[in-house]
Every structure is written in C-alpha cells, then in structure tokens.
C-alpha cells in the first residue's frame, strides 16, 4: 500500500505533501516550515482582539499527553488549542495510568476511543511520538494527528519553529545571518530542532558554543561550527540563542560547578558586546539566572525572551490549524 | 461573454455609496480584491476612518473539508468596531459564504451599529440569505467559471473570467 510506503519515507506528510503530524523539524521541507511561519503571523493578532478565539477547531478534542513534567509547554499548547476553540484535555500520565502499568499504546488506544482528534505528546523517551503516529497509521486512524511537544534528547519542533519565527520577526531574512547556540547542546532537544530549522531555512553560519563535555560527538556533521571559547564564538553573531543548563539530565561530573560554568559560558553584558550591536538574545525558558545568563542581559534591551513566549502560542496555533483541517 | 470595465463599475459604485456615507462610515475590505476596492473607495469618497482589511480564512466553513488554503494574511481593523457603521467591501458576490465568514469575524472584534455590503459584481449562485446593499453590476455565471478582479502595476483594475 502506498500509504505504508509514504510513512516509511516521511511520517509527517500525507499523500498531498501536507502536514499530517509534527514530529521533528528534521525532514520537514523548507516550504512547509515557511508555511507554518507564514500561517503563524495572522494568529499573533488574534490575541490582541476582544474575542481571542477563532472557530477553526470547534468541536475537536485535543489531548495533552504529558509523560514528563512541563508547565510552560503544556500551558502554551493548551492556550493555543483553546484559542482555536478546541476542547483540551490535560493528562499528566506520570501520576495516572502509566503509574498503574498501562502501556503507552494502550493509553493512546483508550483516548482514541474517546474520540481524540489530536495528541500533543511530551515523553522522556526519544521517538515516543513517532511510535504513536505509526501505531495510529497502522490501525487506519489517519484522522488523528500527533504533535511532538518534546521527546527525550531528540526533538522539540514547536520550540524550534517559534525560535525561527522570532528570528524572522526581528531579522526578516535568514540568508545573511550568523547564529550562535550556547550551552548544553548534549542534552538539548531544543538545540537539535534549532539547528535543523536554521540550516533548512538557509542560515549560512550556525555556531554551537559549549564545553567539550556538553557537546554530542559528531555535532559538526549537523552543519555547525563548534566553539569551546564563548568569546570567540559570539564574535559578530546576529542572534544568540541561550540554552538552559539541564541539571536534571546531568549524569556524572560533566561540569565543575554552576559558578564555574557561568564564568566561562554565562551570557554577561561584556560577552554580549562581542556580538553585533543589534544582536538579539533568545532563551527557551525556564531561565537559570546567574547560571547561563546574567540578569542584566535577560532583562536587557536585546533580550526577546518574552516575545518568544507570545510567538510560541501563535506558532502552535498555526501547527494545530494546519493539522486539524481536512484535505479532501 | 463581454466583461464590463472594472474602472467604470468602480465609478458607479462610488456614486451609489456617496449619498449614504458620512464621517462615521468605516470600510472593511476582504482580501485581496475587496481591499483594493476599499482603498479606492476610501479616496473617492474622502472618508476619514482608515480602512480595515480582513482575511476570512479562520472563519471559512470549508476548513473541515479543505483545511487552510494558500497563505492566510492578517486581518487588520484599525478602527473601533463597537458602534461603527461598517461597510464590507468585496469584489465578487457569489455563494455568500465569504460574507458570512466576514460577519462572524467582524463580531469577534466588537459590536458594530450597522453592517452593509458593497460589491463590484453580483454573479448569482447564492447559497445563503445574503444580498448586497450596493452593487455596480449583476450577471449570471455558470459554476464552472470564476470571476476574478485583477490589479495592474499602475493600479488599474480589471475583471477576468477563469475556467475552474
């Protein structure tokens, strides 16, 4: 069956080449990424209206399946779905069925039997959203869509997309940019999604800045320049994307101490001065002030960290609106 | 079929609107042709309230069949909708579904005092109880044809029939 074939090629796209699931930025054609960013723009204005809602997903059920804790991402997905008029059901699986021993796919089958239209999935295991999408396709439930809200160290595509939206908003064009991603690249699904997004959109210079111990082996093969010296890596950057130091994912002695880390890799006004004067500073949140970013930079005029949050809702609305419509 | 000249129709539409518009009249153009017309009417009628522009994609009733089609532009309404006398402007009135969507969206921006509809051409084929208050030309086209307003680089408007 051609359907099975197209699944093995790219499970994210349907026969017509339209978005079927959002699992990863990797493998998304540039046109689809640009279409998501274009579609997000009019959604940013919906939030400024008297009625902050459009009726696109009226009568649809969106299930937030969070097998791993996340307040911010879950909340922004919830707001996005509600602004599209969907009914949103939040499930913290940590504290429910999984704890009682139910398998991932049994949970999915049960919720599908409750007429779910979309699953927003956060899971500690890389590939869990793929497994769900594959399971739904194999059982002929193509009308149910899956959005990856972060899987293990693998991908966090909506974060990557909202970062691309933010960069485009402030810099207009990707083709001349130097973008530096700083921090814990090793544990960061955000960094992977950012790198795939930036390279697909044609950013000529993507840099990663981190201590050797926080760089995945072979990161150069993703098309980035690697710097272990932050001063050197920031020179001439148009965009500085900070990452959170993921203490909860640190195993063993990867770092001497957070003070030591801040000295070498924390973004201070002095280090930021090495980037272009109009460089923007981004952070996916939650921030560790005094660990990866100095308070005066986080609250400074070059920071676009709070606009990122607002854009994130519009981008998630765009993704869900593109998934939720028919394509007959 | 002989297509009427869009510029002449615009002159006729301006004349129809002239007696009723006043300083409280707000024009709301529907992307894309309706916005072009609203811009021209705004100048012709020397209105003071800036025009609004609307893309009704988020309110269309065929979303569940067809999804979001093409690129959605931003709806931008620079005037307070509460208490406004709004005239929705579109190029071609056909099934009436676009106008329904526009009215639904408009009411999510506020409660206008009145809403009227001005179109360049009514091509028949209505599927909803909607009619134009101002219309420069009425014709009947088969469902296999699309009537489109086009604008040249120098701003000249013209009509074209496209086979679906």
């Amino acid at each position: 069956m051609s359907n099975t074939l197209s699944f093995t090629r790219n499970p994210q796209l349907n026969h017509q080449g339209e978005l079927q699931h959002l699992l990863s930025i990797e493998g998304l054609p540039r046109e689809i990424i640009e279409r998501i960013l274009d579609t997000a723009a009019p959604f940013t204005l919906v939030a400024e209206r008297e009625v902050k809602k459009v009726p696109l997903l009226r009568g649809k059920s969106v299930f937030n399946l969070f097998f791993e804790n996340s307040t911010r991402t879950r909340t922004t997905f919830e707001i996005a779905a509600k602004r599209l008029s969907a009914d949103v059901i939040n499930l913290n699986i940590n504290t429910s069925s999984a704890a009682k021993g139910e398998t991932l796919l049994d949970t999915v089958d049960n919720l599908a039997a409750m007429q779910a239209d979309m699953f927003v999935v956060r899971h500690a295991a890389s590939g869990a959203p793929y497994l769900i999408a594959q399971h739904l396709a194999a059982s002929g439930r193509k009308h149910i869509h899956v959005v990856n809200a972060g899987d293990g160290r693998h991908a966090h595509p909506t974060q990557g997309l909202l970062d691309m939206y933010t960069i485009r908003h402030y810099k207009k064009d990707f083709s001349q940019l130097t973008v530096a991603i700083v921090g814990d690249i090793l544990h960061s699904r955000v960094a992977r999604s950012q790198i795939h997004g930036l390279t697909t959109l044609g950013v000529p210079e993507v840099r990663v800045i981190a201590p050797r111990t926080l760089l995945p082996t072979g990161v150069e093969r993703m098309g980035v320049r690697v710097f272990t010296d932050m001063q050197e890596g920031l020179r001439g950057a148009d965009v500085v994307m900070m990452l959170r130091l993921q203490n909860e994912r640190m195993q063993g002695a990867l770092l001497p101490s957070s003070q030591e880390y801040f000295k070498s890799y924390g973004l201070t006004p002095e280090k930021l001065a090495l980037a272009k004067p109009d460089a923007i500073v981004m952070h996916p949140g939650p921030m560790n002030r005094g660990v990866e970013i100095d308070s005066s930079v986080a609250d400074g005029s070059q920071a676009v960290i709070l606009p990122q949050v607002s854009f994130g809702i519009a981008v998630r609305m765009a993704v869900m609106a593109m998934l939720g419509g028919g394509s007959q | 079929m002989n297509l009427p000249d869009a510029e002449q129709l615009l002159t006729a539409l301006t004349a129809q609107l002239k007696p009723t518009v006043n300083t409280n009249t707000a024009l709301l153009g529907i992307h894309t042709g309706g916005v072009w017309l609203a811009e021209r009417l705004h100048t012709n009628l020397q209105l003071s309230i800036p025009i609004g522009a609307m893309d009704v994609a988020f309110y269309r009733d065929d979303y569940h069949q067809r999804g979001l089609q093409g690129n959605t532009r931003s709806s931008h309404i620079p005037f307070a909708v509460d208490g406004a006398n709004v005239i929705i402007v579109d190029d071609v009135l056909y099934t009436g579904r676009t106008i329904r969507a526009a009215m639904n969206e408009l009411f999510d921006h506020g409660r206008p005092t009145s809403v009227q509809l001005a179109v360049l051409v009514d091509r028949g084929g209505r599927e909803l109880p909607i009619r134009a208050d101002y219309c420069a030309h009425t014709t009947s086209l088969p469902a296999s044809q699309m009537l489109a307003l086009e604008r040249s680089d120098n701003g000249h408007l013209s009509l074209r029939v496209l086979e679906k």
Side-chain angles (χ1 to χ4, degrees):
Chain A
M1 213 173 93
S2 63
N3 183 34
T4 329
L5 201 74
S6 74
F7 197 108
T8 50
R9 262 209 316 272
N10 193 344
Q12 308 197 77
L13 304 179
N14 66 14
H15 291 312
Q16 289 83 37
E18 294 161 342
L19 207 58
Q20 168 76 14
H21 304 290
L22 179 67
L23 306 174
S24 160
I25 293 182
E26 186 179 13
L28 277 192
R30 180 173 180 159
E31 311 80 70
I32 296 274
I33 296 179
E34 286 174 341
R35 177 115 201 270
I36 294 170
L37 304 187
D38 290 343
T39 306
F43 281 122
T44 59
L45 297 174
V46 171
E48 296 168 11
R49 303 188 332 196
E50 188 161 309
V51 177
K52 297 183 198 54
K53 243 179 189 332
V54 296
L56 290 176
L57 296 189
R58 202 163 64 91
K60 303 274 185 188
S61 301
V62 174
F63 282 72
N64 275 336
L65 286 180
F66 279 63
F67 295 88
E68 191 184 72
N69 287 327
S70 157
T71 310
R72 179 178 322 225
T73 303
R74 205 214 63 214
T75 308
T76 50
F77 268 109
E78 182 174 350
I79 293 169
K82 285 181 169 170
R83 290 200 179 150
L84 293 169
S85 303
D87 296 311
V88 185
I89 298 93
N90 289 313
L91 292 145
N92 287 319
I93 316 283
N94 271 338
T95 54
S96 67
S97 308
K100 296 176 189 162
E102 189 174 64
T103 70
L104 174 64
L105 296 181
D106 279 335
T107 302
V108 165
D109 283 342
N110 275 277
L111 298 173
M114 297 176 200
Q115 277 75 40
D117 296 292
M118 202 178 290
F119 291 121
V120 176
V121 183
R122 158 74 58 104
H123 204 290
S126 301
Y130 281 84
L131 185 68
I132 295 173
Q134 200 167 33
H135 176 67
L136 291 168
S139 50
R141 290 172 288 187
K142 284 189 290 182
H143 59 284
I144 305 179
H145 305 279
V146 179
V147 180
N148 182 359
D151 62 330
R153 295 184 190 182
H154 171 246
H156 192 352
T158 57
Q159 178 69 46
L161 289 166
L162 80 87
D163 292 334
M164 298 308 111
Y165 186 93
T166 306
I167 293 172
R168 197 173 75 163
H169 178 84
Y170 289 101
K171 298 293 170 191
K172 310 299 175 211
D173 177 33
F174 292 98
S175 68
Q176 309 289 327
L177 295 182
T178 297
V179 179
I181 305 172
V182 188
D184 182 5
I185 314 285
L186 178 66
H187 299 93
S188 178
R189 52 194 171 208
V190 173
R192 276 169 193 72
S193 290
Q194 289 168 338
I195 292 167
H196 287 301
L198 293 166
T199 50
T200 307
L201 290 169
V203 171
E205 175 135 338
V206 182
R207 302 174 181 171
V208 295
I209 304 172
R212 271 282 157 214
T213 48
L214 294 182
L215 282 166
T217 46
V219 67
E220 294 88 350
R221 285 197 296 274
M222 293 180 80
V224 297
R225 280 184 68 190
V226 176
F227 293 82
T228 50
D229 179 332
M230 188 171 180
Q231 271 88 347
E232 208 183 311
L234 286 179
R235 223 172 286 280
D238 298 283
V239 178
V240 182
M241 306 172 89
M242 301 305 297
L243 297 170
R244 185 170 65 91
L245 198 60
Q246 309 220 12
N247 284 319
E248 72 275 22
R249 286 183 214 278
M250 296 284 179
Q251 282 163 3
L254 291 174
L255 290 172
S257 73
S258 55
Q259 292 90 330
E260 199 69 16
Y261 181 82
F262 182 69
K263 227 175 109 189
S264 305
Y265 295 99
L267 188 62
T268 56
E270 297 73 41
K271 287 191 198 124
L272 180 57
L274 297 167
K276 289 212 180 119
D278 64 345
I280 54 169
V281 175
M282 299 167 62
H283 194 297
M287 278 187 287
N288 297 311
R289 289 171 185 259
V291 179
E292 70 258 0
I293 189 163
D294 189 84
S295 264
S296 62
V297 174
D299 303 327
S301 61
Q302 286 170 269
V304 297
I305 297 165
L306 293 176
Q308 278 178 274
V309 178
S310 308
F311 294 150
I313 292 171
V315 166
R316 289 176 176 119
M317 286 172 81
V319 168
M320 289 196 264
M322 284 171 65
L323 290 173
S327 57
Q328 286 93 335
Chain B
M1 167 189 141
N2 251 345
L3 282 175
D5 178 74
E7 289 290 338
Q8 281 176 19
L9 294 182
L10 177 63
T11 306
L13 191 61
T14 305
Q16 278 185 40
L17 283 160
K18 195 142 204 158
T20 52
V21 297
N22 56 47
T23 49
N24 292 322
T25 303
L27 298 182
L28 178 60
I30 299 187
H31 275 299
T32 309
V35 176
W36 298 336
L37 290 169
E39 285 167 356
R40 294 283 298 276
L41 289 169
H42 190 267
T43 309
N44 291 356
L45 296 164
Q46 295 174 305
L47 299 176
S48 45
I49 299 177
I51 69 157
M54 191 181 267
D55 187 321
V56 301
F58 298 154
Y59 290 78
R60 291 188 64 90
D61 61 10
D62 57 1
Y63 169 75
H64 293 289
Q65 283 78 48
R66 301 174 65 217
L68 287 177
Q69 296 290 309
N71 274 345
T72 307
R73 283 138 306 191
S74 298
S75 290
H76 182 59
I77 304 184
F79 52 84
V81 171
D82 282 324
N85 291 113
V86 178
I87 301 178
I88 296 175
V89 181
D90 205 0
D91 45 8
V92 179
L93 178 59
Y94 181 25
T95 61
R97 289 173 190 272
T98 299
I99 304 305
R100 183 207 72 102
M103 283 199 283
N104 283 20
E105 173 158 1
L106 179 61
F107 279 76
D108 280 352
H109 289 261
R111 182 180 184 273
T113 294
S114 67
V115 182
Q116 291 184 303
L117 175 62
V119 299
L120 208 57
V121 181
D122 177 349
R123 58 158 288 180
R126 208 81 72 253
E127 294 168 359
L128 297 175
I130 282 171
R131 58 165 178 77
D133 300 280
Y134 312 95
C135 172
H137 184 72
T138 305
T139 184
S140 181
L141 286 180
S144 62
Q145 292 185 326
M146 246 179 69
L147 187 59
L149 186 68
E150 296 184 336
R151 188 170 76 166
S152 67
D153 292 340
N154 64 12
H156 184 85
L157 297 174
S158 60
L159 285 163
R160 195 148 79 103
V161 170
L162 306 162
E163 299 295 329
K164 273 187 193 164

